[in-house]
Amino acid sequence: MLVEHGWDMDKAYDALRKKGLAAAAKKASRHAAEGLVGASFAASAASNGSGDASTSGGGRGSVVVVELNSETDFVARNELFQKLLREVMGAAHGLGPAAAVGPDHAMDMDQLMSARTPSGTSVSEAVTALAAQVRENVRLRRAFRVDSGAGGLVFPYVHQAAAPGLGKLASVVVLAPEQADKAQPLDTAGRGGPQLLAAGGGLAMHVAGMRPLYLNKAAVPPAAMERERELLRQQLAADADFAGKPTKVLDKVVEGRLGKLLADWCLEAQRYVLEDDLTVDKLVARLRKEVGQPVRVASFLRVQCGEGLGAKAGGGDFAAEVARIVSEA
């Protein structure tokens, strides 16, 4: 509603009053950190079937991830809330090539709020209407779209889904040929197809559990590296065990500790959650042999409901929990 009225609060409020939705407008200022994250795969129109997995397992096409917030978990478990989240994901897919997507996969929220749901209303109107129905602040916080790209495959994962495709945490991984413009497209129906599907799904699960910040060391911003170096230097300066040590020795210790941090930060350097004797880069190296062509992790995304909003901590060890789920499967 705000989008449709040029972000003019007074005009939007008057419009809501005319529709009998003023109560929903009053609730919009209340804190909403609960809710759900949804992940939905849609096959690309150009796909001929090779490389396509199931709509839940991923394949050639795009994955949309949407976070819809509420004030309480009770409302998030409501069928109407979950229906709206699915409709918003459908609207996001419906934007097609016209969707405005940033380098971090974030979708343009103004564009999405103006998009039409299957019922014919705008996403903005549908969110406001639900808020009035459930008598809580309901907020469409953010949305992302991750494309498989030329010859690639995209895989979503929803951790402990409350309903198909809906949960508190979603992650996405894209596997792609090394040189997409020159290489054969990855094909789940060809050589190494089962391994591709297993690796894509497993890596998406890994991202959910291990929370990587960057793809590899080259992707870490120099400013972040220098900030950590400075923090490590300050720690050594305050440590009596390192008093009077030569600068070269201190620098070596700093780089060693920084290397350990990078192993936690960077996806490729992390221990693979499903096979602890492998790092992710070694898993991908093995996959190359199984598929018979160069493969790489092109990108990833992790979205947790309420993160940064003061939501209740999720609790527990995600890595251990993911490993347990797999062992029981």
Side-chain angles (χ1 to χ4, degrees):
M1 190 63 70
L2 274 172
V3 175
E4 294 168 10
H5 292 277
W7 297 95
D8 187 310
M9 290 288 290
D10 293 332
K11 288 182 180 178
Y13 185 73
D14 287 344
L16 287 169
R17 288 183 64 195
K18 290 175 184 177
K19 293 188 176 186
L21 299 176
K26 290 179 180 178
K27 293 178 178 69
S29 63
R30 300 201 316 223
H31 188 59
E34 293 291 342
L36 291 171
V37 174
S40 168
F41 168 79
S44 63
S47 175
N48 62 5
S50 64
D52 289 340
S54 69
T55 55
S56 59
R60 187 117 55 235
S62 62
V63 169
V64 162
V65 178
V66 173
E67 179 181 357
L68 186 65
N69 295 131
S70 58
E71 294 177 52
T72 65
D73 187 57
F74 176 78
V75 164
R77 287 184 271 116
N78 184 292
E79 189 175 324
L80 292 173
F81 185 93
Q82 296 179 9
K83 180 175 180 286
L84 174 61
L85 181 48
R86 290 191 181 94
E87 288 186 347
V88 174
M89 290 191 290
H93 278 303
L95 290 171
V101 181
D104 61 350
H105 305 295
M107 299 187 71
D108 182 283
M109 292 305 292
D110 286 352
Q111 183 187 44
L112 180 57
M113 291 293 265
S114 299
R116 294 285 153 182
T117 67
S119 61
T121 63
S122 70
V123 168
S124 176
E125 289 172 334
V127 171
T128 301
L130 180 64
Q133 281 183 281
V134 300
R135 300 178 180 276
E136 277 195 15
N137 181 15
V138 175
R139 176 191 178 205
L140 179 57
R141 183 186 179 198
R142 50 187 177 161
F144 303 86
R145 192 174 100 174
V146 184
D147 297 321
S148 62
L153 301 169
V154 60
F155 298 89
Y157 170 73
V158 175
H159 187 67
Q160 292 192 323
L166 309 179
K168 294 293 186 181
L169 168 63
S171 53
V172 185
V173 161
V174 176
L175 295 178
E178 285 284 3
Q179 293 180 298
D181 57 335
K182 299 178 182 178
Q184 274 290 113
L186 297 182
D187 185 358
T188 56
R191 175 183 169 184
Q195 289 87 349
L196 272 172
L197 288 171
L203 284 168
M205 187 181 289
H206 173 99
V207 167
M210 300 305 290
R211 304 172 183 241
L213 300 176
Y214 308 99
L215 182 59
N216 49 39
K217 183 177 177 179
V220 181
M225 295 273 280
E226 193 50 45
R227 183 169 59 250
E228 288 303 319
R229 281 195 182 94
E230 184 56 34
L231 285 172
L232 289 168
R233 290 188 190 107
Q234 291 175 12
Q235 290 172 10
L236 293 183
D239 190 334
D241 291 340
F242 290 93
K245 296 286 185 181
T247 301
K248 286 185 178 180
V249 172
L250 297 178
D251 287 345
K252 188 174 181 180
V253 173
V254 165
E255 291 305 312
R257 292 185 180 181
L258 184 60
K260 290 179 180 179
L261 279 174
L262 290 173
D264 288 335
W265 289 355
C266 301
L267 175 61
E268 291 182 357
Q270 289 179 337
R271 290 280 170 186
Y272 184 41
V273 72
L274 303 185
E275 294 183 56
D276 194 48
D277 58 330
L278 289 178
T279 54
V280 169
D281 59 352
K282 288 182 180 177
L283 170 76
V284 174
R286 185 179 73 185
L287 184 62
R288 291 188 187 111
K289 294 179 181 178
E290 294 168 336
V291 175
Q293 71 178 91
V295 182
R296 65 190 172 94
V297 178
S299 63
F300 70 90
L301 176 71
R302 183 183 188 277
V303 181
Q304 187 164 356
C305 184
E307 60 189 342
L309 294 178
K312 290 181 290 186
D317 184 336
F318 269 110
E321 193 176 343
V322 166
R324 176 185 60 77
I325 291 168
V326 171
S327 68
E328 293 175 355

